[in-house]
Amino acid sequence: MMEEQQLIRQAFAARERAYTPYSRFQVGAALLTEAGKVYGGCNIENAAYTPTNCAERTAIFKAVSEGERRFSCIAVVGATEGTPQAQFEACWPCGVCRQVLREFCGPDFRILTFSGANGIETRTLAQLLPDAFGPEMLGDGRKPE
Ligand code: THU
């Protein structure tokens, strides 16, 4: 689908800005809002290691801090610096990022990634984080709609 290719391209563009002096593993994300706006994100590493932020969380925190709450899709691409596109492997969000997505995104929210072998692959958030703990468990009404 054209929209998916475009979002993957935007994730590749965001990956160009990855700050990864320690792992050299560069990740880019492109988060699509329901209204059609795209927020990019890259991973940002740190000399103390644990403060490192993943590309996905960079994108979602940027978006939420700008007032966004409703998202339909995120594209994520990741590979070691210098890897040719044909050799990319699928890069699904880490467990922490899945939980952060779960705060704002429903079970049908789509996650896209790209590999040289398979092209674009898609999963839903429900597939990547089944039986999740989410904001509705607390009943505090923070979730939109
Ligand atoms: N990383 C991401 O940005 N997203 C992922 O989905 C997996 C891991 C980053 C964190 C760290 O900077 C580097 O990749 C290696 O783990």
Side-chain angles (χ1 to χ4, degrees), residues 69 101-107 134-136 140-145:
R69 296 277 176 93
L101 290 167
R102 178 65 179 75
E103 188 69 21
F104 298 100
C105 307
E136 67 282 356
D140 66 0
R142 269 179 304 130
K143 203 154 161 32
E145 95 224 296

Side-chain angles (χ1 to χ4, degrees), residues 29-46:
L31 177 66
L32 179 66
T33 70
E34 283 186 4
K37 190 166 174 182
V38 175
Y39 289 84
C42 61
N43 54 333
I44 304 169
E45 298 188 342
N46 188 278

Side-chain angles (χ1 to χ4, degrees), residues 1 9-10 15 19 21 24-26 31 37 39 48 50 55 58 60 67 75 85 100 110 112 118 140 144:
M1 190 209 285
R9 252 196 297 277
Q10 286 169 286
R15 181 175 169 270
Y19 176 75
R24 302 277 171 205
F25 191 83
Q26 302 177 314
L31 177 66
K37 190 166 174 182
Y39 289 84
T50 55
T58 301
I60 196 163
Q85 202 163 302
V100 171
R110 288 173 301 139
L112 314 177
N118 300 321
D140 66 0

Side-chain angles (χ1 to χ4, degrees), residues 1-34:
M1 190 209 285
M2 193 57 218
E3 179 202 75
E4 295 189 348
Q5 278 179 23
Q6 177 66 14
L7 206 60
I8 288 284
R9 252 196 297 277
Q10 286 169 286
F12 271 106
R15 181 175 169 270
E16 296 292 312
R17 295 184 283 275
Y19 176 75
T20 57
Y22 308 108
S23 76
R24 302 277 171 205
F25 191 83
Q26 302 177 314
V27 185
L31 177 66
L32 179 66
T33 70
E34 283 186 4

